[in-house]
């Protein structure tokens, strides 16, 4: 598969085809049939291993579309990657060119001589017609929350597996316009970008654009399909700007979607399809749940499905043709086991005929030898009618090693209530639903919670 053939299946058609929007910029992808936004002839990048690092999402998205079939390998570098990790990442990926806006002194330190800018406002004539020269390897980074990120190799076939067999229109669908809170240089955002190529296009979030301005633009353009983490959606609901949008499809992924946030989204947009998906950079897209309920049906486990699911030691494992090819690097571990399964590290528990997500294996709080999944406690807290969102973390204790501590953001309507009454109600709800060692010993009311660059709650010991 070559992206350019997908974008321009019929260049003689009068329609503009898919477009990318961001801030004041609008780029028709079919215009790239005769021009390039890379400020050098594409032939100079042919066969190279390219580090793609741009300041804005639009330039990054346009560059990766142009590099497919040209570069031998592309390392997608999100803007939040720490600079001290770049030398090791560049060495592992054998980088010999850069596209974007890295500082000259940083490029020199990485030993990169060829550096190419991207400018959506300054198209250059194509020196020759676009043609595929390579099956480009796509290198994506894991989140790297506990050290340097891993490099996961994908092909365009693995990246599009989740929707390759969908009933996608042969030509762009003028009724469907995507948007996302994700950066397209991470797996979740790239999935949405690729989906948008068979639609009217996509509105990309500009990091410099305030959320109200982004939402106003989404409403003005008529965004119909939009994706983000559960924390993204809680923040949007807190902002009071939900009425700005009228989406047909709302998608959650990247974090556990508890029943409280699903119900809140259904209340905000009763006519929209609310779906939550499970995916990871390594495993690909495992499934999408569309019945409005948290978790997923137990019948999906060990069932004959295109994406195979199984549970081992309480953790979800996935086998799929959308799984990454491998971890890049000579000393990297195997990405799959002998049977082709990827261990996601996400722990699940059976409740009746449905599996519920408990949280990441690496995020467990140890209270005197007993395990607590922060997300399990958060789900109980978030289910309270006056709670907007919460974060549960470990607080050090000289007696038990750790205690459970919770930070809670309230709905504006609950702000007038006494803090002691609210915390007492939260604690009582936790006592009714959880084992004693999981009940928060400390509950703090806060005005906001920090999110990572990819929209997930920032965690860590309190």
């Amino acid at each position: 598969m070559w992206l350019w053939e997908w974008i321009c299946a019929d260049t003689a058609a009068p329609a503009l085809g898919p477009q990318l929007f961001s801030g004041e910029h609008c780029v028709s992808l079919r215009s790239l049939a005769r021009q390039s936004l890379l400020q050098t002839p594409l032939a100079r990048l042919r066969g190279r291993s390219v580090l793609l690092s741009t300041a804005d999402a639009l330039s990054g998205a346009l560059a990766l579309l142009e590099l497919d079939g040209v570069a031998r390998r592309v390392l997608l570098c999100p803007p939040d990657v720490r600079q001290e990790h770049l030398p090791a990442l560049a060495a592992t990926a054998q980088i010999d060119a850069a596209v974007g806006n890295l500082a000259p002194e940083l490029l020199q330190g990485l030993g990169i001589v060829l550096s190419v800018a991207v400018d959506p406002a300054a198209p250059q004539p194509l020196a020759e017609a676009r043609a595929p020269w390579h099956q480009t390897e796509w290198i994506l980074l894991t989140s790297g929350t506990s050290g340097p990120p891993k490099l996961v190799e994908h092909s365009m076939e693995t990246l599009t597996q989740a929707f390759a067999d969908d009933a996608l229109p042969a030509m762009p669908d003028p009724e469907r316009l995507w948007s996302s809170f994700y950066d397209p240089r991470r797996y979740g955002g790239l999935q949405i970008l690729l989906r948008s190529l068979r639609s009217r296009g996509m509105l990309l979030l500009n990091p410099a654009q305030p959320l109200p301005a982004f939402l106003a633009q989404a409403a003005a353009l008529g965004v119909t399909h939009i994706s983000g983490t559960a924390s993204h959606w809680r923040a949007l609901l807190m902002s009071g700007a939900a009425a700005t949008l009228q989406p047909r499809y709302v998608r959650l992924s990247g974090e556990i979607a508890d029943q409280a946030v699903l119900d809140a989204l259904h209340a905000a947009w009763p006519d929209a399809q609310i779906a939550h998906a499970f995916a990871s950079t390594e495993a690909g897209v495992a499934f999408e749940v569309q019945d409005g309920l948290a978790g997923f049906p137990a019948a999906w486990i060990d069932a004959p499905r295109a994406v195979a699911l199984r549970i081992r030691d309480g953790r979800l494992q996935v086998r799929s043709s959308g799984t990454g090819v491998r971890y890049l690097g000579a000393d990297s571990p195997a990405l799959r086991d002998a049977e082709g399964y990827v261990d996601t590290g996400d722990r699940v528990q059976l409740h009746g005929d449905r599996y519920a997500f408990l949280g990441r294996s690496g995020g467990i709080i140890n209270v005197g030898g007993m395990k607590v999944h922060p997300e399990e406690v958060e789900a109980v807290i978030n289910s309270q009618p006056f709670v907007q969102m919460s974060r549960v973390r470990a607080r050090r204790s000289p007696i038990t090693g750790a205690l459970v501590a919770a930070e809670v953001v309230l709905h504006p309507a609950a702000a007038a209530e006494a803090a002691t009454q609210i915390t007492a109600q939260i604690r009582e709800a936790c006592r009714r639903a959880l084992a004693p060692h999981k009940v928060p010993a400390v509950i703090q009311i806060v005005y906001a919670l920090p999110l990572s660059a990819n929209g997930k709650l920032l965690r860590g010991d309190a």
Side-chain angles (χ1 to χ4, degrees):
M1 176 184 173
W2 182 39
L3 281 181
W4 184 244
E5 289 177 330
W6 216 16
I7 294 167
C8 284
D10 182 6
T11 55
L16 290 173
Q19 297 171 281
L20 296 186
F21 304 87
S22 183
E24 71 279 11
H25 293 291
C26 171
V27 178
S28 168
L29 297 185
R30 287 190 180 168
S31 69
L32 301 180
R34 58 185 181 278
Q35 60 191 22
S36 171
L37 303 178
L38 302 178
Q39 305 300 294
T40 196
L42 286 175
R44 294 192 67 199
L45 293 166
R46 192 175 294 160
R48 290 187 175 272
S49 185
V50 177
L51 173 66
L52 176 55
S53 177
T54 61
D56 64 285
L58 178 63
S59 296
L62 290 166
L64 74 86
L65 295 175
E66 291 207 57
L67 288 170
D68 185 45
V70 175
R72 174 178 68 90
R73 172 181 290 165
V74 178
L75 171 58
L76 299 178
C77 190
D80 59 317
V81 172
R82 294 163 58 178
Q83 285 196 0
E84 60 264 33
H85 292 156
L86 283 178
L89 296 174
T92 301
Q94 300 176 334
I95 296 298
D96 57 15
V99 170
N101 58 343
L102 290 176
E105 57 272 20
L106 182 57
L107 291 168
Q108 185 176 6
L110 296 175
I112 298 174
V113 177
L114 177 58
S115 177
V116 179
V118 189
D119 189 348
Q124 304 294 313
L126 275 180
E128 56 182 296
R130 294 185 183 276
W133 291 87
H134 298 274
Q135 289 290 331
T136 302
E137 298 172 2
W138 295 96
I139 312 302
L140 288 90
L141 303 183
T142 61
S143 58
T145 54
S146 57
K150 295 185 179 71
L151 291 82
V152 182
E153 179 185 330
H154 275 274
S155 66
M156 195 51 62
E157 284 68 28
T158 63
L159 289 171
T160 56
Q161 174 274 331
F163 51 92
D165 296 328
D166 287 354
L168 294 173
M171 296 297 292
D173 178 0
E175 299 301 320
R176 182 182 299 178
L177 180 63
W178 286 89
S179 189
S180 177
F181 296 103
Y182 298 126
D183 190 285
R185 291 157 292 185
R186 286 207 180 275
Y187 184 83
L190 182 56
Q191 282 287 299
I192 302 304
L193 175 65
L194 294 174
R195 281 171 166 81
S196 77
L197 300 182
R198 285 296 182 90
S199 70
R200 182 179 155 202
M202 180 178 181
L203 170 63
L204 294 149
L205 176 61
N206 184 336
Q209 191 177 26
L211 180 62
F214 171 71
L215 295 175
Q217 185 176 15
L221 290 171
V223 165
T224 61
H225 292 56
I226 186 165
S227 175
T229 67
S231 293
H232 280 136
W233 289 113
R234 289 190 180 100
L236 174 60
L237 294 170
M238 283 175 59
S239 73
T244 306
L245 295 175
Q246 293 299 322
R248 299 201 318 252
Y249 173 87
V250 171
R251 179 185 175 99
L252 301 85
S253 62
E255 291 182 309
I256 295 173
D258 60 38
Q259 197 60 51
V261 72
L262 293 173
D263 290 345
L265 291 170
H266 276 291
W269 297 298
D271 296 326
Q273 171 68 62
I274 311 297
H276 58 100
F278 180 84
S280 73
T281 307
E282 294 97 324
V285 179
F287 54 78
E288 179 177 281
V289 182
Q290 298 184 358
D291 60 8
L293 300 177
F296 62 95
W300 290 0
I301 297 297
D302 297 321
R305 305 175 72 245
V307 178
L309 309 175
R310 72 181 185 186
I311 309 296
R312 292 292 185 272
D313 299 322
R315 302 200 301 204
L316 178 65
Q317 298 186 349
V318 177
R319 185 177 64 196
S320 166
S321 57
T323 296
V325 177
R326 58 172 176 150
Y327 287 121
L328 207 62
D331 299 324
S332 297
L335 191 144
R336 308 176 185 82
D337 68 11
E339 297 175 81
Y341 281 88
V342 175
D343 189 334
T344 66
D346 286 85
R347 302 194 71 86
V348 296
Q349 188 173 69
L350 185 62
H351 296 289
D353 62 353
R354 205 167 184 90
Y355 274 100
F357 284 99
L358 297 178
R360 298 285 298 168
S361 296
I364 293 173
I365 301 171
N366 191 324
V367 180
M370 294 181 287
K371 297 178 180 180
V372 180
H373 292 280
E375 294 90 342
E376 181 185 10
V377 183
E378 289 166 2
V380 175
I381 297 173
N382 294 341
S383 69
Q384 302 309 299
F386 42 78
V387 172
Q388 185 71 60
M389 64 190 303
S390 63
R391 176 173 67 171
V392 170
R393 298 191 291 168
R395 175 166 288 188
R396 293 179 181 84
S397 167
I399 299 174
T400 61
L403 295 171
V404 178
E407 298 163 292
V408 179
V409 179
L410 302 178
H411 285 287
E417 297 188 45
T420 53
Q421 179 184 353
I422 292 173
T423 55
Q425 291 173 353
I426 292 172
R427 189 171 282 111
E428 180 57 31
C430 290
R431 285 176 179 149
R432 292 195 305 267
L434 301 168
H437 67 281
K438 299 179 181 180
V439 176
V442 179
I443 299 176
Q444 181 184 6
I445 305 300
V446 298
Y447 290 104
L449 291 170
L451 303 183
S452 68
N454 55 347
K456 299 182 183 181
L457 273 177
L458 285 173
R459 300 187 180 273
D461 291 349

